[in-house]
C-alpha cells in the first residue's frame, strides 16, 4: 500500500498534473460547452442524431488509422536511437496507414448515401456531413501519426500545447457553426473537429523536418507491421464495435420510443464520459506500465487490491456526489428541457462503478498483450450490452438502456473475475520463511 501511494504521489500525480491534467480538463470543458450549446440551440432531438454521427466517425477514424497510435508510440520510443529500425517503423505505419485512410475516405465519400441510411433514421438526409468527414479524414490520420512520433520522443510539453490550442480552436469553430447553422452546423463540427488539430500539429512537424527523410517506401517492413498487430487488433476491436453498438441502441430508441428520449440517453452518456476521462487518465498512466513490469501472480494480486483500496473508494464518493447533484449538473451542462435525464443517473452510475472495477483488472490484457482474452471478453461485453439494452428498453423504456449498461458490465466483471480468479483469490503457494 505504501509503495503504491508513494508511486502515485511521486510519479503518477506529477505526470498527470504536469502532462495530462491541462489537456484532459480542456477537453472536458470543451465538451461541456459544446453540450450546452447543443442543448440551447438544438435540443434533445438533435443531440440523438449528433450522437449517431459521432459514433460512426469514431469507428471510421479507427479503421482508417488501423489503431496504430499506441503501437507507433511504443515503436518510436523503442527505436529512437536506432535510425534504421525507426525508419522501417515510420515508413510502415505512414504508408500502410495512408492506404487504409484513403480507402476509408473514398468509401465514406462515394457511399455516403448508403452510410446515411445506416446511421440516421428514416427521412433524415445528412449525406453532406458524411462527405465532409471523408474529405477531412486524411488530416486526422496525419495528425494522429504526428502525435505518435512526438509522444514516442517524449515531447510531452509540445503535445499538451497542441492539444489545448487544438481543443480551443475546435471549440470556437464548433460553437460558431452551432450558433449559425444549428443542427447542420453541429454535424459539420463533428465531421471536422478532430481533423482541425492538424493545423496546429503542422507547426510541430515543420520544426522536426529531420523525420521526413526517414519515411520511404523502400523501408516498409512486414516484420514491423506484425509487431504492431497486437496493438492494432485490440484498438480496432474495441474502438470500432462498441461505438457501433451504442449507435444501434440509440437508433432502436429513436425508432421505438422517440428522438427526444434518445437525446436524453445521449445526454447521460456525455455526462458519464466526462468524469470517466479523469479516471481513465489516472489508470492508464499507472496500471499499464506497472502491470507490464509484473511477472508473478503475488505482485499482480497485491497491485489490484491496492488499487481497490485507494482508487475505488474515491471514485465511489465521486459518483455519490454526482448522483446527489444531478439536478444542478443537468441545468449547468444542458437545460431544464433535459430534466428527465435525472431518472437515468442511478443505473448509469452503478454501471460505471462496476466498469471501473473490471477495468482495473482487464488492463492486464493490454499490459501483457493477451489479445484473444481481450477480444473474447470485449465481444461478450458488446453482445450482452446490445441484447440486455434492447430487452430492458421494451419493458422500461429509455431507462432500460442504462439498466442494460449496468447488467452487461456486471456480467462482464463476472467473466473477468473468472479469468483472473485463481490469480486474485487463489491460495498463495509461495514458500514461507
Amino acid at each position: 500500500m505504501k509503495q503504491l501511494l508513494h508511486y502515485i504521489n511521486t510519479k503518477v500525480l506529477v505526470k498527470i498534473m504536469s502532462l495530462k491534467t491541462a489537456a484532459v480538463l480542456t477537453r472536458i470543458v470543451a465538451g461541456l460547452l459544446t453540450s450546452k450549446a447543443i442543448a440551447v440551440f438544438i435540443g434533445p432531438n438533435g443531440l440523438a442524431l449528433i450522437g449517431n454521427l459521432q459514433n460512426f466517425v469514431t469507428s471510421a477514424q479507427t479503421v482508417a488509422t488501423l489503431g496504430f497510435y499506441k503501437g507507433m508510440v511504443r515503436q518510436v520510443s523503442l527505436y529512437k536511437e536506432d535510425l534504421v529500425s525507426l525508419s522501417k517503423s515510420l515508413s510502415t505505419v505512414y504508408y500502410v496507414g495512408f492506404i487504409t485512410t484513403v480507402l476509408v475516405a473514398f468509401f465514406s465519400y462515394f457511399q455516403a448515401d448508403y452510410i446515411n441510411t445506416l446511421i440516421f433514421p428514416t427521412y433524415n438526409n445528412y449525406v453532406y456531413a458524411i462527405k465532409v468527414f471523408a474529405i477531412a479524414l486524411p488530416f486526422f490520420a496525419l495528425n494522429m501519426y504526428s502525435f505518435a512520433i512526438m509522444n514516442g520522443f517524449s515531447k510531452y510539453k509540445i503535445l499538451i500545447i497542441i492539444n489545448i490550442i487544438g481543443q480551443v480552436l475546435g471549440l470556437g469553430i464548433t460553437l460558431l457553426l452551432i450558433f449559425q447553422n444549428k443542427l447542420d452546423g453541429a454535424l459539420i463540427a463533428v465531421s471536422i473537429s478532430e481533423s482541425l488539430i492538424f493545423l496546429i500539429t503542422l507547426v510541430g512537424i515543420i520544426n522536426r523536418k529531420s523525420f521526413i527523410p526517414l519515411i520511404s517506401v523502400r523501408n516498409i517492413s512486414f516484420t514491423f507491421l506484425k509487431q504492431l498487430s497486437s496493438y492494432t487488433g485490440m484498438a480496432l476491436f474495441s474502438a470500432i464495435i462498441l461505438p457501433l453498438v451504442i449507435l444501434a441502441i440509440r437508433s432502436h430508441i429513436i425508432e421505438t420510443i422517440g428522438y427526444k428520449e434518445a437525446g436524453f440517453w445521449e445526454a447521460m452518456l456525455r455526462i458519464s464520459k466526462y468524469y470517466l476521462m479523469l479516471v481513465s487518465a489516472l489508470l492508464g498512466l499507472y496500471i499499464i506500465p506497472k502491470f507490464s513490469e509484473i511477472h508473478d501472480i503475488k505482485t499482480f494480486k497485491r497491485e489490484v487490491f491496492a488499487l481497490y483500496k485507494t482508487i475505488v473508494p474515491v471514485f465511489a464518493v465521486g459518483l455519490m456526489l454526482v448522483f446527489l447533484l444531478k439536478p444542478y449538473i443537468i441545468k449547468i451542462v444542458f437545460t431544464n428541457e433535459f430534466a428527465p435525464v435525472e431518472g437515468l443517473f442511478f443505473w448509469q452510475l452503478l454501471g460505471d462503478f462496476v466498469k471501473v472495477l473490471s477495468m482495473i483488472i482487464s488492463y492486464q490484457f493490454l499490459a501483457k498483450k493477451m489479445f484473444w482474452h481481450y477480444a473474447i471478453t470485449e465481444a461478450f461485453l458488446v453482445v450482452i450490452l446490445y441484447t440486455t439494452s434492447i430487452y430492458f428498453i421494451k419493458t422500461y423504456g429509455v431507462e432500460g438502456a442504462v439498466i442494460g449498461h449496468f447488467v452487461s458490465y456486471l456480467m462482464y466483471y463476472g467473466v473477468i473475475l473468472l479469468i483472473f480468479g485463481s490469480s486474485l483469490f487463489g491460495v498463495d503457494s509461495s514458500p514461507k520463511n
Side-chain angles (χ1 to χ4, degrees):
M1 178 69 73
K2 289 182 179 179
Q3 182 184 8
L4 171 65
L5 291 174
H6 176 73
Y7 188 94
I8 292 176
N9 287 328
T10 59
K11 295 184 180 181
V12 176
L13 291 181
V14 170
K15 284 184 179 180
I16 290 176
M17 291 302 294
S18 61
L19 307 176
K20 296 287 288 187
T21 301
V24 171
L25 290 178
T26 303
R27 191 175 186 87
I28 291 173
V29 170
L32 292 171
L33 292 174
T34 301
S35 296
K36 186 69 175 181
I38 293 171
V40 172
F41 293 105
I42 302 173
N45 289 22
L47 186 60
L49 295 174
I50 293 167
N52 272 15
L53 180 61
Q54 183 66 68
N55 291 143
F56 163 73
V57 166
T58 300
S59 294
Q61 286 173 340
T62 307
V63 173
T65 57
L66 290 173
F68 275 157
Y69 182 79
K70 288 184 178 178
M72 189 176 178
V73 171
R74 182 181 180 278
Q75 295 287 71
V76 172
S77 178
L78 188 64
Y79 300 117
K80 58 187 175 184
E81 303 298 334
D82 181 352
L83 291 182
V84 174
S85 297
L86 181 62
S87 177
K88 290 181 179 180
S89 180
L90 294 180
S91 300
T92 302
V93 169
Y94 265 90
Y95 281 103
V96 174
F98 173 76
I99 292 171
T100 55
T101 298
V102 169
L103 290 175
V104 173
F106 268 89
F107 177 82
S108 298
Y109 188 90
F110 291 106
Q111 297 297 320
D113 288 290
Y114 173 69
I115 295 170
N116 181 81
T117 61
L118 291 179
I119 66 176
F120 294 117
T122 311
Y123 309 121
N124 287 287
N125 185 4
Y126 299 109
V127 171
Y128 67 89
I130 299 168
K131 288 187 174 182
V132 169
F133 163 72
I135 295 170
L137 184 59
F139 298 101
F140 167 81
L142 284 172
N143 184 66
M144 290 301 293
Y145 297 145
S146 303
F147 260 41
I149 292 175
M150 288 187 281
N151 202 342
F153 277 94
S154 303
K155 301 298 179 182
Y156 300 118
K157 290 183 179 179
I158 297 175
L159 280 174
I160 287 178
I161 292 171
I162 291 174
N163 248 311
I164 293 174
I165 296 175
Q167 290 295 331
V168 172
L169 174 65
L171 173 64
I173 293 176
T174 298
L175 295 179
L176 181 63
L177 286 170
I178 291 173
F179 178 74
Q180 290 186 336
N181 301 293
K182 305 300 187 288
L183 178 58
D184 291 323
L187 294 175
I188 292 295
V190 169
S191 300
I192 67 173
S193 59
E194 294 290 334
S195 302
L196 288 174
I197 302 177
F198 178 70
L199 298 174
I200 312 300
T201 310
L202 191 60
V203 177
I205 298 174
I206 292 172
N207 290 332
R208 303 192 69 84
K209 295 179 181 177
S210 56
F211 288 130
I212 297 176
L214 296 175
I215 302 172
S216 170
V217 177
R218 292 175 298 177
N219 290 331
I220 294 176
S221 169
F222 287 100
T223 301
F224 281 84
L225 188 61
K226 187 177 179 180
Q227 291 176 9
L228 291 164
S229 62
S230 61
Y231 293 95
T232 298
M234 291 183 184
L236 283 175
F237 194 89
S238 59
I240 294 172
I241 302 299
L242 189 56
L244 293 180
V245 168
I246 298 297
L247 189 156
I249 295 171
R250 192 185 298 103
S251 296
H252 179 75
I253 295 173
I254 291 172
E255 293 169 3
T256 58
I257 307 175
Y259 284 95
K260 185 168 285 188
E261 288 74 12
F264 293 152
W265 183 57
E266 173 64 18
M268 185 69 255
L269 291 182
R270 284 181 172 237
I271 293 170
S272 170
K273 181 177 73 173
Y274 298 144
Y275 60 71
L276 284 177
M277 276 187 195
L278 293 173
V279 179
S280 298
L282 174 62
L283 294 180
L285 276 174
Y286 176 76
I287 293 182
I288 293 181
K290 193 66 176 177
F291 280 8
S292 298
E293 299 170 357
I294 294 174
H295 300 290
D296 62 278
I297 293 174
K298 185 178 179 180
T299 308
F300 171 67
K301 177 179 178 180
R302 185 173 64 246
E303 288 294 332
V304 169
F305 283 107
L307 286 165
Y308 273 7
K309 291 176 183 178
T310 54
I311 302 297
V312 172
V314 176
F315 181 59
V317 172
L319 290 180
M320 290 179 190
L321 289 174
V322 170
F323 183 78
L324 293 173
L325 298 173
K326 58 184 177 178
Y328 306 101
I329 292 173
I330 292 171
K331 288 180 181 179
I332 293 171
V333 180
F334 299 101
T335 62
N336 290 330
E337 189 180 2
F338 287 79
V341 177
E342 283 189 45
L344 306 180
F345 269 73
F346 178 77
W347 293 108
Q348 181 69 39
L349 298 183
L350 207 57
D352 287 341
F353 180 72
V354 179
K355 180 179 180 177
V356 170
L357 290 179
S358 60
M359 189 189 302
I360 289 172
I361 303 174
S362 63
Y363 266 118
Q364 180 76 336
F365 294 147
L366 300 175
K368 300 300 183 183
K369 299 182 186 178
M370 301 167 66
F371 174 73
W372 287 112
H373 288 81
Y374 178 84
I376 292 170
T377 53
E378 287 291 311
F380 173 80
L381 173 62
V382 295
V383 169
I384 294 299
L385 178 61
Y386 180 77
T387 53
T388 55
S389 296
I390 300 301
Y391 174 79
F392 286 117
I393 286 169
K394 291 179 182 178
T395 307
Y396 300 102
V398 68
E399 188 181 6
V402 287
I403 295 174
H405 169 71
F406 166 68
V407 172
S408 60
Y409 272 101
L410 188 63
M411 296 176 70
Y412 174 74
Y413 186 42
V415 172
I416 295 296
L417 290 178
L418 283 175
I419 294 173
F420 293 101
S422 59
S423 301
L424 296 173
F425 307 110
V427 178
D428 185 9
S429 59
S430 58
K432 296 181 180 180
N433 295 326

